[in-house]
Amino acid sequence: MVYSWRMLKRNDNGEAAAEFFDKRRRWRSYLSTRADISDRGFRVGYWLSDRMNGDDQCCWYTVGRVAHEMGKSKSYVNRAIAELRAKNVVLVIEEKGKPNTYFLHAPFF
């Protein structure tokens, strides 16, 4: 039997979102204790994680939008995202002509 996302969502009483928000909290704590993550990487990672929702557990933003909302340059955001990717704490899906999609990644989930 094939289940659609809508069927699963309809049968979910908010447990999936609550589980994601707990994972996000643990991810932030994990990120803050990693000595190999710069303050820049932490700030951008925190900003992205704060905009992820419990339904699809990701967010979509262009580098320009992140930079504008943070009051930073695009190069600042690009360096932070490159660092987070290199440290394997953020998964970034890039599609030509669309904003990037960001997912959290940590060894415990």
Side-chain angles (χ1 to χ4, degrees):
M1 177 181 276
V2 176
Y3 292 99
S4 73
W5 172 249
R6 285 190 177 156
M7 288 174 67
L8 291 173
K9 190 173 177 184
R10 184 175 52 218
N11 293 327
D12 179 25
N13 292 326
E15 294 95 2
E19 182 179 327
F20 170 73
F21 293 129
D22 181 57
K23 284 181 182 179
R24 184 175 73 178
R25 179 192 54 76
R26 290 187 294 136
W27 181 86
R28 288 174 175 173
S29 179
Y30 168 73
L31 195 66
S32 72
T33 61
R34 294 227 1 208
D36 61 335
I37 302 289
S38 68
D39 291 343
R40 172 185 56 224
F42 177 77
R43 288 190 62 188
V44 171
Y46 191 97
W47 188 95
L48 290 170
S49 72
D50 198 45
R51 281 137 185 92
M52 294 178 179
N53 65 59
D55 288 338
D56 48 23
Q57 303 179 8
C58 65
C59 67
W60 307 271
Y61 286 96
T62 63
V63 169
R65 171 103 182 257
V66 176
H68 175 74
E69 290 196 17
M70 290 187 73
K72 300 293 183 183
S73 68
K74 287 182 182 180
S75 63
Y76 176 96
V77 174
N78 277 323
R79 287 192 310 268
I81 291 170
E83 176 186 358
L84 295 170
R85 290 176 92 170
K87 303 297 182 184
N88 201 24
V89 294
V90 170
L91 174 65
V92 181
I93 308 297
E94 297 176 7
E95 292 185 63
K96 188 173 177 129
K98 294 184 179 182
N100 292 341
T101 304
Y102 303 93
F103 295 91
L104 303 179
H105 185 260
F108 46 84
F109 58 79

